[in-house]
Amino acid sequence: MVAKKTVGNKKETLEQKSPAEFFADNKNIAGFDNPGKCLYTTIRELVENSLDSAESISVLPDIEITVEEISQATLNTMRGVSNVDRVDEALYQDFETDQEKTKRLAKEKKDMERMLKAAEKKGESEHVVEAKKKELLAKQKQAHARNEKMFYKVTVRDNGMGMNHDDIPNMLGKVLSGTKYGVKQTRGKFGLGAKMALIWSKMSTGLPIEIYSARVGSQMKSYYKLDIDIRKNLPNVHEGKELTNENGWHGAELSVTICGHWQYYRAKVLKYLQQIAVITPYAEFKFKFKGQDEKNVFETVFDRRTSVMPPPPEATKHHPSSVDLELVKRLVESTKYTKLSSFLYKEFDCVSKDLAERIADELGSGALTDPHDLEEQDILRLHQLLHEVRFPDPDGHHLSPAGEYNLRLGVMKELRPDMVATCGGSVGVSEGHAFIVEAAVSMGGRNVKPGINIFRYANRIPLLFEGGSDVITRTAMKRINWNSYNINQANDKVGVFVSLVSTKIPFKGAGKEYIADDVKCIQDAVRSAIQNCCVQLKKKIVRQQAAREQKQRKRNLSKYIPNVAAAVYTVLQSISERDADAKRICRGIDMSDLVSDVRRGSLSEKTLEEKLAQHVERIDTDMAMEYQMQQGLNEGKRVDMYLAPASARHKHAPPIHHDTCILQILERT
């Protein structure tokens, strides 16, 4: 929409942008910063839509992700653009001048000489040197091709609820239209989903998105090929039809072709899939990358570990302390209730009938007043009251955390740690929105670096960027005294997993990639959850250290048994030969029997060695039992236990007192 306005002698043009146009101009807000990030965000958005779709019908998610690499020439063929030979090579960005070529070749030669010199110094074989040559040449070739623009066809297929045939164009081709708005825990940050991928496809390749979809139990499946009119924020349908659903499949399959950069964001994509597999161990993810070079083709599967799914989140009403003035006005205008008390009781959460009537009386309008008749000043006063009255906190029944069981299984499945502890936090409230913090802390595991490794989740989706300012990162790094839990912050492989679910996550930054560190209640909940896990781990670590020390002590004693046995036997043998009839006493111990056994030959050096080994084993067992008993006393609870007499002919004997228990034996009368 364009309007012209004259100011003095100048004409100014006022323009109004559509929502699609705004996000196209500010795509970094939605995570589309650069080609590599665009590829990553496209995969993430499509995967999360698939998870939501399957979970909404309580079906275990099976999600297939395929990324196919496409060259510029292939893209031109797909778009119907002819590939013509270049006439003026110097006109293009990838043209290499003689000076640049000489410099590049000199650098490559220097790198090769450095590699050969290092290999010769280490004395490596010709086979190893040849392999390193090939690797270096491949890297040089890759670096040379790095500036080439690449395109990718991203396809995600799921077994979710599918979409209605007539709704598909608006659901995918119209920005800020969808089913995830309202007061509800959702994975989406902006409500854009696949729409932003469609906008980026339109901007970078001009190719439409292809959709197959089928509802549960439907005999037909939908097919659409469409793009988006960015200026009008309307879908542009190229083709739409219904096909026979022969296999009874239900779900959705979306394919979008975009400009991207796999090489830079490959690690991020795989890390994202691993972390989403941790928080959703009930889902199975199959990922396949099809490179132009067959050597770059690979597949990976993140298997399902459990069939237990958390309940889906429920929509809830606005809590009075969370509403702003504009929202109050909108609710007043749209309500179907004709009594103010009914309006307050039905439209808001945590407002009882009695409380609604008291608020109406406090407002001065009365409980029977029609909310549509409220004046501007009445609405202002109502908004003020809603923020001043003391309301009960929401109980969080509408939230859907992953659960300790799933979180533990996910960590064990993907990281395989030596030990793990989990904590499911209680419900907290921030600005009228309920939240739950869950945490897991692991020790050891595969692909875990020494130090504190932090894994952040918001509404059960991983947060991979801008972690330094996140409340989870700052709490784990600065507010936890790891040494007090026998954890070495620098050298131990520690994994810290924290998941926050809420109807409103306090994100910060334009891209909503990290959680605010200035909300005290969330900060305290995160610290408490991590500390709870650490307390559990400390007990395991102490027992593990005690077992390690016990094993080391036994190893040290056993190592010297042969030498001690030989020395003692030599002494006994010397005594037996020198004093045949003398009675030997050493430190109060009568050694006559030992000397006699040596003289008769019934005690040999080997027998003495066996006796010493048995003694070490017995002492080690006794110390272990004593340690376990002490641990039980320190950590366990004293419980009264009773054993009733078998009959009237029995009675309890006088009590026997001990450190661990009080025992009373049954006796016959």
Side-chain angles (χ1 to χ4, degrees):
M1 181 178 178
V2 179
K4 292 185 178 180
K5 179 182 178 182
T6 304
V7 181
N9 296 325
K10 297 181 179 179
K11 289 185 178 181
E12 293 184 353
T13 302
L14 301 179
E15 295 185 5
Q16 181 179 348
K17 290 185 177 181
S18 70
E21 215 172 353
F22 171 81
F23 282 105
D25 293 341
N26 302 276
K27 57 185 183 295
N28 62 302
I29 294 177
F32 286 72
D33 301 40
N34 53 66
K37 185 81 176 290
C38 290
L39 177 62
Y40 161 81
T41 307
T42 297
I43 295 172
R44 190 195 71 185
E45 293 286 359
L46 296 181
V47 167
E48 289 166 11
N49 279 356
S50 296
L51 281 172
D52 287 336
S53 179
E55 290 174 0
S56 66
I57 56 173
S58 300
V59 172
L60 295 174
D62 289 317
I63 301 175
E64 300 176 12
I65 308 109
T66 304
V67 179
E68 182 180 357
E69 191 175 45
I70 298 173
S71 66
Q72 181 73 63
T74 305
L75 179 70
N76 286 341
T77 302
M78 294 171 63
R79 297 188 296 187
V81 178
S82 58
N83 292 299
V84 297
D85 295 332
R86 295 180 177 182
V87 178
D88 187 355
E89 285 285 349
L91 186 64
Y92 295 89
Q93 292 181 359
D94 58 355
F95 175 72
E96 190 177 38
T97 63
D98 292 340
Q99 184 179 359
E100 291 171 340
K101 184 177 181 180
T102 302
K103 188 177 180 180
R104 176 177 59 82
L105 293 175
K107 184 178 181 301
E108 291 176 357
K109 182 180 179 182
K110 189 175 181 179
D111 291 341
M112 184 66 72
E113 290 175 352
R114 189 184 296 112
M115 186 273 295
L116 293 173
K117 188 176 180 180
E120 183 181 356
K121 188 176 181 180
K122 293 180 180 179
E124 294 175 337
S125 62
E126 293 183 4
H127 178 72
V128 175
V129 172
E130 192 63 29
K132 286 190 173 183
K133 275 185 180 179
K134 290 182 180 180
E135 183 180 356
L136 182 60
L137 290 173
K139 286 183 179 179
Q140 291 173 349
K141 183 179 179 181
Q142 193 177 40
H144 183 62
R146 190 171 292 173
N147 294 327
E148 295 182 8
K149 186 178 287 189
M150 293 302 298
F151 304 89
Y152 300 88
K153 182 179 181 181
V154 180
T155 304
V156 176
R157 180 183 176 92
D158 63 61
N159 61 336
M161 67 183 298
M163 296 174 280
N164 287 323
H165 180 78
D166 296 333
D167 293 339
I168 291 176
N170 283 332
M171 290 182 71
L172 296 174
K174 191 173 183 180
V175 173
L176 300 183
S177 65
T179 59
K180 296 183 181 180
Y181 299 110
V183 187
K184 186 178 179 181
Q185 172 192 328
T186 60
R187 285 189 170 94
K189 297 177 182 177
F190 296 97
L192 294 177
K195 305 178 190 72
M196 197 62 216
L198 186 55
I199 291 175
W200 176 241
S201 173
K202 176 89 171 181
M203 296 173 66
S204 60
T205 66
L207 291 176
I209 189 173
E210 290 186 280
I211 308 105
Y212 289 92
S213 180
R215 303 283 286 183
V216 178
S218 175
Q219 297 180 354
M220 304 297 291
K221 63 180 179 181
S222 304
Y223 171 77
Y224 272 96
K225 183 185 287 187
L226 59 87
D227 61 22
I228 184 172
D229 187 327
I230 295 178
R231 289 186 62 83
K232 296 180 180 179
N233 189 32
L234 292 173
N236 181 20
V237 178
H238 295 241
E239 184 179 358
K241 57 186 177 181
E242 288 189 289
L243 307 172
T244 304
N245 188 14
E246 298 176 354
N247 301 324
W249 165 73
H250 61 84
E253 178 181 319
L254 283 76
S255 296
V256 58
T257 305
I258 59 173
C259 177
H261 209 306
W262 170 254
Q263 181 182 345
Y264 285 160
Y265 275 79
R266 170 186 172 170
K268 287 290 186 183
V269 170
L270 296 179
K271 186 177 180 181
Y272 167 80
L273 291 175
Q274 183 195 41
Q275 292 194 23
I276 197 74
V278 167
I279 205 71
T280 56
Y282 51 85
E284 180 173 279
F285 301 91
K286 296 179 181 178
F287 180 82
K288 184 174 183 179
F289 179 79
K290 297 180 180 179
Q292 288 188 306
D293 189 344
E294 292 185 0
K295 295 179 181 179
N296 296 329
V297 176
F298 77 94
E299 296 182 36
T300 185
V301 178
F302 298 89
D303 293 317
R304 179 182 293 112
R305 178 65 184 270
T306 179
S307 59
V308 178
M309 293 176 60
E314 301 174 5
T316 187
K317 294 178 288 186
H318 295 279
H319 191 273
S321 62
S322 69
V323 296
D324 55 45
L325 179 59
E326 189 60 32
L327 180 56
V328 174
K329 290 181 179 180
R330 192 161 69 244
L331 291 174
V332 168
E333 291 174 1
S334 62
T335 186
K336 62 181 180 180
Y337 301 104
T338 57
K339 296 180 181 179
L340 181 58
S341 58
S342 299
F343 164 72
L344 294 171
Y345 171 61
K346 297 289 187 180
E347 296 285 4
F348 293 96
D349 191 22
C350 301
V351 179
S352 63
K353 289 183 179 180
D354 179 63
L355 184 57
E357 292 177 358
R358 291 172 61 190
I359 293 173
D361 292 339
E362 183 71 18
L363 186 63
S365 301
L368 301 179
T369 303
D370 190 334
H372 300 96
D373 295 336
L374 292 177
E375 300 292 337
E376 178 74 17
Q377 297 301 320
D378 295 328
I379 295 177
L380 292 173
R381 173 62 177 152
L382 176 61
H383 173 255
Q384 182 180 344
L385 271 177
L386 293 178
H387 283 266
E388 292 178 349
V389 172
R390 181 180 297 175
F391 294 96
D393 289 332
D395 57 9
H397 70 278
H398 52 280
L399 298 178
S400 176
E404 282 191 70
Y405 176 77
N406 280 335
L407 186 57
R408 178 184 291 270
L409 279 183
V411 174
M412 293 173 64
K413 175 172 72 82
E414 295 302 327
L415 269 69
R416 298 180 185 175
D418 301 327
M419 61 180 73
V420 61
T422 56
C423 172
S426 58
V427 178
V429 179
S430 173
E431 297 181 356
H433 294 273
F435 68 86
I436 297 176
V437 174
E438 299 174 295
V441 179
S442 65
M443 298 286 292
R446 62 180 184 182
N447 301 326
V448 180
K449 298 177 181 178
I452 307 298
N453 300 268
I454 299 172
F455 302 84
R456 304 172 293 127
Y457 297 91
N459 281 348
R460 307 212 317 256
I461 61 170
L463 302 176
L464 268 60
F465 298 91
E466 301 181 40
S469 301
D470 191 281
V471 62
I472 298 170
T473 304
R474 294 177 68 87
T475 299
M477 301 302 294
K478 297 183 178 182
R479 302 184 182 112
I480 303 295
N481 184 5
W482 295 97
N483 290 331
S484 64
Y485 302 104
N486 291 7
I487 297 174
N488 189 316
Q489 186 175 355
N491 299 325
D492 289 340
K493 296 180 178 180
V494 183
V496 179
F497 301 79
V498 179
S499 172
L500 172 65
V501 295
S502 177
T503 51
K504 182 182 179 182
I505 301 290
F507 286 114
K508 288 283 187 177
K512 294 190 176 183
E513 291 289 353
Y514 68 96
I515 304 170
D517 188 38
D518 54 3
V519 183
K520 186 67 165 57
C521 54
I522 293 179
Q523 188 184 110
D524 293 341
V526 171
R527 182 173 64 249
S528 176
I530 296 175
Q531 287 175 336
N532 194 309
C533 294
C534 290
V535 169
Q536 299 175 47
L537 281 181
K538 183 178 180 180
K539 298 176 182 178
K540 299 179 182 180
I541 293 171
V542 168
R543 287 196 290 267
Q544 189 181 65
Q545 290 175 345
R548 194 184 303 118
E549 291 172 1
Q550 177 188 346
K551 190 180 293 184
Q552 184 63 35
R553 181 174 60 251
K554 183 179 177 181
R555 188 184 297 115
N556 292 339
L557 290 173
S558 300
K559 182 172 67 174
Y560 295 108
I561 284 177
N563 295 334
V564 172
V568 171
Y569 184 77
T570 301
V571 171
L572 292 174
Q573 194 175 38
S574 175
I575 294 173
S576 67
E577 292 174 354
R578 186 172 65 250
D579 302 320
D581 300 322
K583 184 177 181 179
R584 290 285 175 175
I585 298 176
C586 180
R587 294 190 178 183
I589 301 175
D590 189 355
M591 299 177 60
S592 302
D593 293 340
L594 291 175
V595 173
S596 299
D597 290 342
V598 171
R599 189 182 297 118
R600 289 195 304 268
S602 59
L603 180 63
S604 64
E605 182 178 337
K606 184 177 181 182
T607 306
L608 192 60
E609 186 175 333
E610 291 174 356
K611 294 290 185 181
L612 285 172
Q614 293 174 6
H615 182 72
V616 168
E617 185 71 31
R618 185 171 67 253
I619 293 298
D620 184 70
T621 303
D622 291 345
M623 293 182 68
M625 291 180 63
E626 183 180 356
Y627 172 77
Q628 292 295 337
M629 185 182 70
Q630 291 297 326
Q631 286 294 106
L633 285 174
N634 294 335
E635 299 175 8
K637 296 181 179 179
R638 295 178 182 267
V639 180
D640 293 332
M641 299 181 66
Y642 302 94
L643 183 63
S647 69
R649 292 177 298 174
H650 293 80
K651 69 175 183 179
H652 287 102
I656 302 171
H657 293 269
H658 192 267
D659 292 339
T660 57
C661 65
I662 299 174
L663 180 65
Q664 285 186 279
I665 301 174
L666 288 174
E667 294 180 343
R668 286 183 178 273
T669 55

